[in-house]
mmCIF file of all heavy atoms in Angstrom:
data_model
loop_
_atom_site.group_PDB
_atom_site.id
_atom_site.type_symbol
_atom_site.label_atom_id
_atom_site.label_comp_id
_atom_site.label_asym_id
_atom_site.label_seq_id
_atom_site.Cartn_x
_atom_site.Cartn_y
_atom_site.Cartn_z
ATOM 1 N N GLU A 1 0.863 -1.183 -0.019
ATOM 2 C CA GLU A 1 0.039 0.015 0.073
ATOM 3 C C GLU A 1 0.848 1.284 0.040
ATOM 4 O O GLU A 1 1.770 1.387 0.827
ATOM 5 C CB GLU A 1 -0.912 -0.005 1.240
ATOM 6 C CG GLU A 1 -2.012 -1.016 1.238
ATOM 7 C CD GLU A 1 -3.192 -0.536 0.350
ATOM 8 O OE1 GLU A 1 -3.191 0.616 -0.248
ATOM 9 O OE2 GLU A 1 -4.181 -1.308 0.210
ATOM 10 N N SER A 2 0.602 2.146 -0.927
ATOM 11 C CA SER A 2 1.498 3.357 -1.002
ATOM 12 C C SER A 2 1.201 4.267 0.167
ATOM 13 O O SER A 2 0.082 4.247 0.790
ATOM 14 C CB SER A 2 1.143 4.108 -2.286
ATOM 15 O OG SER A 2 -0.243 4.540 -2.332
ATOM 16 N N PRO A 3 2.225 4.984 0.579
ATOM 17 C CA PRO A 3 2.081 5.897 1.762
ATOM 18 C C PRO A 3 1.475 7.193 1.410
ATOM 19 O O PRO A 3 1.913 8.321 1.607
ATOM 20 C CB PRO A 3 3.543 6.162 2.126
ATOM 21 C CG PRO A 3 4.339 6.111 0.844
ATOM 22 C CD PRO A 3 3.550 5.056 0.053
ATOM 23 N N THR A 4 0.293 7.156 0.743
ATOM 24 C CA THR A 4 -0.427 8.340 0.122
ATOM 25 C C THR A 4 -1.819 8.540 0.715
ATOM 26 O O THR A 4 -2.630 9.251 0.010
ATOM 27 C CB THR A 4 -0.493 8.150 -1.355
ATOM 28 O OG1 THR A 4 -1.137 6.878 -1.595
ATOM 29 C CG2 THR A 4 0.877 8.255 -1.943
ATOM 30 N N TRP A 5 -2.024 8.133 1.994
ATOM 31 C CA TRP A 5 -3.412 8.291 2.542
ATOM 32 C C TRP A 5 -3.736 9.702 2.657
ATOM 33 O O TRP A 5 -4.950 10.089 2.540
ATOM 34 C CB TRP A 5 -3.309 7.611 4.028
ATOM 35 C CG TRP A 5 -4.557 7.500 4.680
ATOM 36 C CD1 TRP A 5 -5.743 6.730 4.402
ATOM 37 C CD2 TRP A 5 -4.926 8.214 5.937
ATOM 38 N NE1 TRP A 5 -6.685 6.927 5.329
ATOM 39 C CE2 TRP A 5 -6.275 7.763 6.161
ATOM 40 C CE3 TRP A 5 -4.271 9.100 6.733
ATOM 41 C CZ2 TRP A 5 -6.923 8.341 7.488
ATOM 42 C CZ3 TRP A 5 -4.932 9.644 7.826
ATOM 43 C CH2 TRP A 5 -6.173 9.227 8.163
ATOM 44 N N ARG A 6 -2.819 10.688 2.860
ATOM 45 C CA ARG A 6 -3.063 12.011 2.921
ATOM 46 C C ARG A 6 -2.739 12.857 1.662
ATOM 47 O O ARG A 6 -2.901 14.052 1.703
ATOM 48 C CB ARG A 6 -2.237 12.624 4.063
ATOM 49 C CG ARG A 6 -2.691 12.400 5.489
ATOM 50 C CD ARG A 6 -3.996 13.063 5.793
ATOM 51 N NE ARG A 6 -4.194 13.369 7.233
ATOM 52 C CZ ARG A 6 -5.364 13.247 7.909
ATOM 53 N NH1 ARG A 6 -6.478 12.983 7.326
ATOM 54 N NH2 ARG A 6 -5.347 13.546 9.296
ATOM 55 N N ALA A 7 -2.355 12.185 0.572
ATOM 56 C CA ALA A 7 -1.903 12.911 -0.586
ATOM 57 C C ALA A 7 -3.020 13.266 -1.474
ATOM 58 O O ALA A 7 -3.035 13.092 -2.762
ATOM 59 C CB ALA A 7 -0.831 11.894 -1.353
ATOM 60 N N ASN A 8 -4.035 14.030 -0.858
ATOM 61 C CA ASN A 8 -5.167 14.538 -1.817
ATOM 62 C C ASN A 8 -4.958 16.041 -1.721
ATOM 63 O O ASN A 8 -4.063 16.585 -1.122
ATOM 64 C CB ASN A 8 -6.487 14.186 -1.283
ATOM 65 C CG ASN A 8 -6.853 14.497 0.208
ATOM 66 O OD1 ASN A 8 -6.398 15.522 0.769
ATOM 67 N ND2 ASN A 8 -7.518 13.706 0.941
ATOM 68 N N LYS A 9 -5.964 16.745 -2.349
ATOM 69 C CA LYS A 9 -5.718 18.184 -2.575
ATOM 70 C C LYS A 9 -5.825 18.975 -1.242
ATOM 71 O O LYS A 9 -5.007 19.947 -1.056
ATOM 72 C CB LYS A 9 -6.718 18.718 -3.530
ATOM 73 C CG LYS A 9 -6.339 18.293 -5.065
ATOM 74 C CD LYS A 9 -7.266 18.861 -6.061
ATOM 75 C CE LYS A 9 -8.548 18.119 -6.235
ATOM 76 N NZ LYS A 9 -9.324 18.450 -7.433
ATOM 77 N N ASP A 10 -6.821 18.715 -0.378
ATOM 78 C CA ASP A 10 -6.968 19.468 0.784
ATOM 79 C C ASP A 10 -5.736 19.392 1.707
ATOM 80 O O ASP A 10 -5.144 20.483 2.101
ATOM 81 C CB ASP A 10 -8.087 19.066 1.686
ATOM 82 C CG ASP A 10 -9.419 19.580 1.033
ATOM 83 O OD1 ASP A 10 -9.628 19.602 -0.164
ATOM 84 O OD2 ASP A 10 -10.242 20.094 1.908
ATOM 85 N N TRP A 11 -5.233 18.207 1.937
ATOM 86 C CA TRP A 11 -4.139 18.108 2.908
ATOM 87 C C TRP A 11 -2.836 18.451 2.117
ATOM 88 O O TRP A 11 -1.854 19.043 2.726
ATOM 89 C CB TRP A 11 -3.976 16.540 3.343
ATOM 90 C CG TRP A 11 -5.107 16.206 4.163
ATOM 91 C CD1 TRP A 11 -6.198 15.333 3.760
ATOM 92 C CD2 TRP A 11 -5.369 16.585 5.460
ATOM 93 N NE1 TRP A 11 -7.139 15.251 4.863
ATOM 94 C CE2 TRP A 11 -6.608 15.897 5.866
ATOM 95 C CE3 TRP A 11 -4.639 17.358 6.463
ATOM 96 C CZ2 TRP A 11 -7.124 16.054 7.196
ATOM 97 C CZ3 TRP A 11 -5.275 17.534 7.745
ATOM 98 C CH2 TRP A 11 -6.513 16.930 8.053
ATOM 99 N N GLY A 12 -2.747 18.154 0.823
ATOM 100 C CA GLY A 12 -1.556 18.564 0.066
ATOM 101 C C GLY A 12 -1.460 20.069 -0.026
ATOM 102 O O GLY A 12 -0.252 20.585 0.167
ATOM 103 N N TYR A 13 -2.500 20.730 -0.354
ATOM 104 C CA TYR A 13 -2.421 22.328 -0.317
ATOM 105 C C TYR A 13 -1.978 22.808 0.990
ATOM 106 O O TYR A 13 -1.114 23.705 1.042
ATOM 107 C CB TYR A 13 -3.721 22.868 -0.748
ATOM 108 C CG TYR A 13 -4.148 22.508 -2.099
ATOM 109 C CD1 TYR A 13 -5.398 22.753 -2.512
ATOM 110 C CD2 TYR A 13 -3.258 21.996 -3.043
ATOM 111 C CE1 TYR A 13 -5.915 22.548 -3.771
ATOM 112 C CE2 TYR A 13 -3.835 21.747 -4.338
ATOM 113 C CZ TYR A 13 -5.092 21.992 -4.732
ATOM 114 O OH TYR A 13 -5.514 21.679 -6.049
ATOM 115 N N THR A 14 -2.474 22.223 2.098
ATOM 116 C CA THR A 14 -2.027 22.645 3.437
ATOM 117 C C THR A 14 -0.568 22.421 3.597
ATOM 118 O O THR A 14 0.032 23.260 4.344
ATOM 119 C CB THR A 14 -2.760 21.806 4.568
ATOM 120 O OG1 THR A 14 -4.189 22.121 4.296
ATOM 121 C CG2 THR A 14 -2.459 22.287 5.944
ATOM 122 N N LEU A 15 0.069 21.448 2.956
ATOM 123 C CA LEU A 15 1.463 21.112 3.184
ATOM 124 C C LEU A 15 2.327 21.793 2.146
ATOM 125 O O LEU A 15 3.507 21.491 2.040
ATOM 126 C CB LEU A 15 1.557 19.662 3.192
ATOM 127 C CG LEU A 15 1.093 19.000 4.419
ATOM 128 C CD1 LEU A 15 0.835 17.412 4.267
ATOM 129 C CD2 LEU A 15 1.987 19.149 5.702
ATOM 130 N N GLY A 16 1.727 22.646 1.327
ATOM 131 C CA GLY A 16 2.535 23.414 0.255
ATOM 132 C C GLY A 16 2.547 22.751 -1.112
ATOM 133 O O GLY A 16 3.425 23.085 -1.934
ATOM 134 N N TYR A 17 1.837 21.609 -1.373
ATOM 135 C CA TYR A 17 1.902 20.990 -2.649
ATOM 136 C C TYR A 17 0.751 21.481 -3.493
ATOM 137 O O TYR A 17 -0.326 21.643 -3.094
ATOM 138 C CB TYR A 17 1.599 19.453 -2.426
ATOM 139 C CG TYR A 17 2.793 18.746 -1.802
ATOM 140 C CD1 TYR A 17 3.158 18.912 -0.495
ATOM 141 C CD2 TYR A 17 3.506 17.863 -2.672
ATOM 142 C CE1 TYR A 17 4.236 18.207 0.072
ATOM 143 C CE2 TYR A 17 4.570 17.151 -2.070
ATOM 144 C CZ TYR A 17 4.935 17.329 -0.773
ATOM 145 O OH TYR A 17 6.036 16.620 -0.185
ATOM 146 N N ASN A 18 1.077 21.780 -4.795
ATOM 147 C CA ASN A 18 0.037 22.087 -5.739
ATOM 148 C C ASN A 18 -0.401 20.871 -6.525
ATOM 149 O O ASN A 18 0.027 19.860 -6.171
ATOM 150 C CB ASN A 18 0.521 23.230 -6.746
ATOM 151 C CG ASN A 18 1.721 22.692 -7.579
ATOM 152 O OD1 ASN A 18 1.903 21.625 -7.914
ATOM 153 N ND2 ASN A 18 2.661 23.648 -7.955
ATOM 154 N N GLU A 19 -1.217 20.994 -7.447
ATOM 155 C CA GLU A 19 -1.913 19.895 -8.032
ATOM 156 C C GLU A 19 -0.798 19.092 -8.802
ATOM 157 O O GLU A 19 -0.886 17.788 -8.667
ATOM 158 C CB GLU A 19 -2.982 20.329 -9.048
ATOM 159 C CG GLU A 19 -3.846 19.232 -9.645
ATOM 160 C CD GLU A 19 -5.165 19.678 -10.236
ATOM 161 O OE1 GLU A 19 -5.789 20.493 -9.682
ATOM 162 O OE2 GLU A 19 -5.400 19.198 -11.249
ATOM 163 N N ASN A 20 -0.008 19.627 -9.588
ATOM 164 C CA ASN A 20 1.126 18.943 -10.236
ATOM 165 C C ASN A 20 1.976 18.189 -9.349
ATOM 166 O O ASN A 20 2.350 17.156 -9.609
ATOM 167 C CB ASN A 20 1.842 19.835 -11.216
ATOM 168 C CG ASN A 20 1.095 20.327 -12.381
ATOM 169 O OD1 ASN A 20 0.142 19.588 -12.873
ATOM 170 N ND2 ASN A 20 1.387 21.494 -12.849
ATOM 171 N N ASP A 21 2.336 18.872 -8.143
ATOM 172 C CA ASP A 21 3.196 18.225 -7.123
ATOM 173 C C ASP A 21 2.515 16.922 -6.689
ATOM 174 O O ASP A 21 3.210 15.979 -6.424
ATOM 175 C CB ASP A 21 3.455 19.211 -5.951
ATOM 176 C CG ASP A 21 4.103 20.446 -6.314
ATOM 177 O OD1 ASP A 21 4.989 20.389 -7.284
ATOM 178 O OD2 ASP A 21 3.983 21.502 -5.602
ATOM 179 N N LEU A 22 1.204 17.032 -6.460
ATOM 180 C CA LEU A 22 0.486 15.872 -5.893
ATOM 181 C C LEU A 22 0.467 14.762 -6.880
ATOM 182 O O LEU A 22 0.589 13.563 -6.528
ATOM 183 C CB LEU A 22 -0.891 16.272 -5.473
ATOM 184 C CG LEU A 22 -1.031 17.084 -4.189
ATOM 185 C CD1 LEU A 22 -2.390 17.802 -4.147
ATOM 186 C CD2 LEU A 22 -0.656 16.387 -3.020
ATOM 187 N N ILE A 23 0.218 15.052 -8.132
ATOM 188 C CA ILE A 23 0.242 13.998 -9.179
ATOM 189 C C ILE A 23 1.652 13.307 -9.126
ATOM 190 O O ILE A 23 1.748 12.111 -9.172
ATOM 191 C CB ILE A 23 -0.075 14.534 -10.581
ATOM 192 C CG1 ILE A 23 -1.428 14.989 -10.601
ATOM 193 C CG2 ILE A 23 0.249 13.553 -11.576
ATOM 194 C CD1 ILE A 23 -1.886 15.826 -11.890
ATOM 195 N N GLU A 24 2.626 14.128 -9.118
ATOM 196 C CA GLU A 24 4.046 13.609 -9.046
ATOM 197 C C GLU A 24 4.292 12.735 -7.844
ATOM 198 O O GLU A 24 4.912 11.593 -7.995
ATOM 199 C CB GLU A 24 5.005 14.734 -9.194
ATOM 200 C CG GLU A 24 6.456 14.276 -9.306
ATOM 201 C CD GLU A 24 7.491 15.470 -9.357
ATOM 202 O OE1 GLU A 24 7.057 16.550 -9.540
ATOM 203 O OE2 GLU A 24 8.724 15.269 -9.094
ATOM 204 N N VAL A 25 3.872 13.160 -6.699
ATOM 205 C CA VAL A 25 4.239 12.452 -5.457
ATOM 206 C C VAL A 25 3.508 11.141 -5.377
ATOM 207 O O VAL A 25 4.013 10.092 -4.936
ATOM 208 C CB VAL A 25 4.069 13.368 -4.281
ATOM 209 C CG1 VAL A 25 2.606 13.413 -3.821
ATOM 210 C CG2 VAL A 25 4.934 12.761 -3.115
ATOM 211 N N ASN A 26 2.252 11.117 -5.840
ATOM 212 C CA ASN A 26 1.462 9.915 -5.893
ATOM 213 C C ASN A 26 2.084 8.909 -6.841
ATOM 214 O O ASN A 26 2.174 7.732 -6.551
ATOM 215 C CB ASN A 26 0.006 10.189 -6.231
ATOM 216 C CG ASN A 26 -0.809 10.769 -5.069
ATOM 217 O OD1 ASN A 26 -1.305 9.906 -4.268
ATOM 218 N ND2 ASN A 26 -1.107 11.967 -5.055
ATOM 219 N N GLN A 27 2.543 9.349 -7.980
ATOM 220 C CA GLN A 27 3.208 8.405 -8.934
ATOM 221 C C GLN A 27 4.584 7.972 -8.425
ATOM 222 O O GLN A 27 5.071 6.891 -8.615
ATOM 223 C CB GLN A 27 3.335 9.083 -10.254
ATOM 224 C CG GLN A 27 2.004 9.365 -10.948
ATOM 225 C CD GLN A 27 2.084 10.023 -12.344
ATOM 226 O OE1 GLN A 27 3.050 10.735 -12.560
ATOM 227 N NE2 GLN A 27 1.033 9.827 -13.117
ATOM 228 N N LYS A 28 5.260 8.835 -7.719
ATOM 229 C CA LYS A 28 6.555 8.482 -7.061
ATOM 230 C C LYS A 28 6.430 7.397 -6.050
ATOM 231 O O LYS A 28 7.245 6.525 -5.918
ATOM 232 C CB LYS A 28 7.141 9.773 -6.474
ATOM 233 C CG LYS A 28 8.577 9.511 -5.827
ATOM 234 C CD LYS A 28 9.161 10.806 -5.170
ATOM 235 C CE LYS A 28 9.344 11.905 -6.072
ATOM 236 N NZ LYS A 28 9.942 13.130 -5.369
ATOM 237 N N ALA A 29 5.191 7.374 -5.407
ATOM 238 C CA ALA A 29 4.866 6.437 -4.406
ATOM 239 C C ALA A 29 4.823 5.094 -5.018
ATOM 240 O O ALA A 29 5.305 4.025 -4.492
ATOM 241 C CB ALA A 29 3.647 6.781 -3.623
ATOM 242 N N ILE A 30 4.206 4.978 -6.177
ATOM 243 C CA ILE A 30 4.009 3.680 -6.869
ATOM 244 C C ILE A 30 5.409 3.240 -7.472
ATOM 245 O O ILE A 30 5.693 2.060 -7.326
ATOM 246 C CB ILE A 30 3.034 3.886 -8.065
ATOM 247 C CG1 ILE A 30 1.653 4.327 -7.509
ATOM 248 C CG2 ILE A 30 2.884 2.508 -8.887
ATOM 249 C CD1 ILE A 30 1.063 3.421 -6.402
ATOM 250 N N SER A 31 6.249 4.143 -7.918
ATOM 251 C CA SER A 31 7.506 3.774 -8.391
ATOM 252 C C SER A 31 8.323 3.224 -7.221
ATOM 253 O O SER A 31 9.033 2.252 -7.427
ATOM 254 C CB SER A 31 8.192 4.996 -8.946
ATOM 255 O OG SER A 31 9.537 4.756 -9.332
ATOM 256 N N LEU A 32 8.209 3.718 -6.090
ATOM 257 C CA LEU A 32 8.969 3.220 -4.852
ATOM 258 C C LEU A 32 8.549 1.749 -4.607
ATOM 259 O O LEU A 32 9.411 0.919 -4.351
ATOM 260 C CB LEU A 32 8.715 4.092 -3.553
ATOM 261 C CG LEU A 32 9.259 3.492 -2.402
ATOM 262 C CD1 LEU A 32 10.755 3.826 -2.157
ATOM 263 C CD2 LEU A 32 8.583 4.179 -1.179
ATOM 264 N N LEU A 33 7.234 1.512 -4.683
ATOM 265 C CA LEU A 33 6.774 0.240 -4.336
ATOM 266 C C LEU A 33 7.195 -0.790 -5.471
ATOM 267 O O LEU A 33 7.313 -2.039 -5.296
ATOM 268 C CB LEU A 33 5.201 0.186 -4.259
ATOM 269 C CG LEU A 33 4.680 1.110 -3.098
ATOM 270 C CD1 LEU A 33 3.183 0.849 -2.976
ATOM 271 C CD2 LEU A 33 5.308 0.667 -1.741
ATOM 272 N N GLU A 34 7.268 -0.267 -6.697
ATOM 273 C CA GLU A 34 7.698 -1.227 -7.764
ATOM 274 C C GLU A 34 9.124 -1.749 -7.528
ATOM 275 O O GLU A 34 9.450 -2.919 -7.870
ATOM 276 C CB GLU A 34 7.610 -0.469 -9.138
ATOM 277 C CG GLU A 34 6.226 -0.296 -9.626
ATOM 278 C CD GLU A 34 6.108 0.513 -10.854
ATOM 279 O OE1 GLU A 34 7.134 1.189 -11.153
ATOM 280 O OE2 GLU A 34 5.087 0.520 -11.521
ATOM 281 N N GLY A 35 10.021 -0.842 -6.968
ATOM 282 C CA GLY A 35 11.354 -1.192 -6.643
ATOM 283 C C GLY A 35 11.359 -2.232 -5.564
ATOM 284 O O GLY A 35 12.154 -3.152 -5.485
ATOM 285 N N ILE A 36 10.526 -1.977 -4.514
ATOM 286 C CA ILE A 36 10.451 -3.036 -3.448
ATOM 287 C C ILE A 36 9.877 -4.295 -3.834
ATOM 288 O O ILE A 36 10.415 -5.343 -3.529
ATOM 289 C CB ILE A 36 9.480 -2.331 -2.362
ATOM 290 C CG1 ILE A 36 10.166 -1.143 -1.747
ATOM 291 C CG2 ILE A 36 9.233 -3.440 -1.192
ATOM 292 C CD1 ILE A 36 9.266 -0.266 -0.832
ATOM 293 N N LYS A 37 8.947 -4.221 -4.708
ATOM 294 C CA LYS A 37 8.331 -5.644 -5.325
ATOM 295 C C LYS A 37 9.408 -6.336 -6.021
ATOM 296 O O LYS A 37 9.566 -7.614 -5.895
ATOM 297 C CB LYS A 37 7.188 -5.173 -6.240
ATOM 298 C CG LYS A 37 6.683 -6.456 -6.945
ATOM 299 C CD LYS A 37 5.420 -6.199 -7.881
ATOM 300 C CE LYS A 37 4.939 -7.349 -8.594
ATOM 301 N NZ LYS A 37 3.761 -6.980 -9.466
ATOM 302 N N ALA A 38 10.281 -5.617 -6.745
ATOM 303 C CA ALA A 38 11.358 -6.330 -7.548
ATOM 304 C C ALA A 38 12.264 -7.048 -6.688
ATOM 305 O O ALA A 38 12.832 -8.104 -6.987
ATOM 306 C CB ALA A 38 12.065 -5.295 -8.502
#
């Protein structure tokens, strides 16, 4: 499970992330898990 439980717009904006940042960090989470799976 990716560590993205809070990686939505409301919490993301509060933490200084814009929409593009959030898309990138959610995809980065999946990439991390792919390496772990391998």
Side-chain angles (χ1 to χ4, degrees):
E1 288 281 1
S2 63
T4 51
W5 186 70
R6 284 292 207 214
N8 60 33
K9 286 185 277 191
D10 279 48
W11 297 105
Y13 293 167
T14 299
L15 291 162
Y17 286 71
N18 62 34
E19 191 166 313
N20 288 333
D21 294 335
L22 287 168
I23 292 170
E24 182 179 347
V25 79
N26 277 284
Q27 293 181 335
K28 186 183 293 185
I30 301 304
S31 178
L32 174 77
L33 298 186
E34 287 175 343
I36 294 170
K37 176 180 178 178

